[in-house]
Amino acid sequence: METMDAILSRRSIRQYTGEKVTEAELKTILAAAEASPSGMDEYENTVMTVIEKPALLEKIDQAAKAAAEKSGNADKNPLYQAPTFILVSGKKPDAESANLIFSNAAIVVENMALAATDLGVGCCHIWGVVEIIDHDPSLLNDLDLPEGFIPCCGLIVGKTNDQYTKREIPLDRIKCTRIK
Ligand SMILES: Cc1cc2nc3c(=O)[nH]c(=O)nc-3n(C[C@H](O)[C@H](O)[C@H](O)COP(=O)(O)O)c2cc1C
């Protein structure tokens, strides 16, 4: 797939068969993550956690559902029963570079999303559960992140019966001004 085809075909997939992507596909997706640019070349400040353990995925799902119920939004299915959730975390920054870890993490996730699209496997950016994980000491303990790292964003991946097709994207949905 050409780069622009992958970009225009990517969309959020929220239906999964339950089957994991193959090891080779996961390797390609993670290789795309590794190819991401990173602010000040500080790759050591980003870590990925590939969560495939059904009990942990279920625990995250339940924690998110409980939080959603509290906010009156009970029918959410936060991880869409996807068999793999790749969480990207960053080293908690000092005040001057507060946004950098989130920019780094977002790029990692989008690179993986484009690779998943290219492979024809399902993927969806996930932020909803990240905030929940961040405030749940038990989940943070299960994730065993390096000291001082916080979850930033993530991507679910898995086999799907949905198809990617190139989309017409409106060219004005993100406002853009030019300064010449
Ligand atoms: C940073 C970020 C976080 C997102 N978090 C979620 C999420 O938690 N759950 C979800 O279903 N979709 C999530 N999405 C997907 C967006 O809803 C989706 O990208 C947007 O509606 C555009 O649709 P498309 O991805 O199909 O083009 C997220 C997207 C981004 C970029």
Side-chain angles (χ1 to χ4, degrees):
M1 195 184 274
E2 296 298 321
T3 307
M4 278 312 287
D5 287 353
I7 289 171
L8 294 174
S9 300
R10 186 218 54 80
R11 66 185 173 87
S12 296
I13 300 290
R14 299 188 175 92
Q15 303 276 357
Y16 293 87
T17 63
E19 191 188 340
K20 285 190 213 168
V21 300
T22 65
E23 283 301 309
E25 287 165 340
L26 182 62
K27 205 170 157 196
T28 300
I29 290 166
L30 294 176
E34 297 288 349
S36 303
S38 199
M40 300 192 289
D41 206 35
E42 289 177 348
Y43 288 94
E44 68 277 14
N45 289 347
T46 305
V47 297
M48 295 184 284
T49 312
V50 181
I51 306 167
E52 300 172 292
K53 191 176 174 179
L56 182 52
L57 291 169
E58 178 63 20
K59 188 171 170 182
I60 294 171
D61 219 43
Q62 289 304 326
K65 274 183 189 153
E69 266 165 37
K70 261 196 215 158
S71 67
N73 197 2
D75 64 348
K76 276 201 114 190
N77 190 9
L79 293 176
Y80 303 103
Q81 316 269 285
T84 306
F85 176 43
I86 307 172
L87 180 70
V88 183
S89 306
K91 190 172 181 192
K92 209 170 176 171
D94 49 31
E96 301 103 71
S97 55
N99 282 329
L100 195 55
I101 61 165
F102 296 99
S103 298
N104 286 338
I107 291 164
V108 167
V109 170
E110 181 60 4
N111 259 20
M112 292 195 288
L114 291 175
T117 305
D118 187 42
L119 292 165
V121 300
C123 72
C124 182
H125 282 253
I126 294 291
W127 186 82
V129 304
V130 171
E131 202 192 5
I132 312 279
I133 295 172
D134 203 14
H135 292 97
D136 188 319
S138 170
L139 283 175
L140 283 172
N141 186 51
D142 291 338
L143 289 168
D144 200 20
L145 297 175
E147 183 67 28
F149 278 64
I150 53 171
C152 296
C153 53
L155 188 79
I156 47 174
V157 293
K159 297 283 183 179
T160 182
N161 292 324
D162 284 6
Q163 305 273 324
Y164 292 107
T165 48
K166 226 165 114 178
R167 298 188 295 176
E168 280 293 323
I169 304 289
L171 296 179
D172 60 352
R173 62 182 189 170
I174 297 175
K175 293 277 168 284
C176 174
T177 56
R178 280 176 81 169
I179 301 172
K180 286 189 174 178

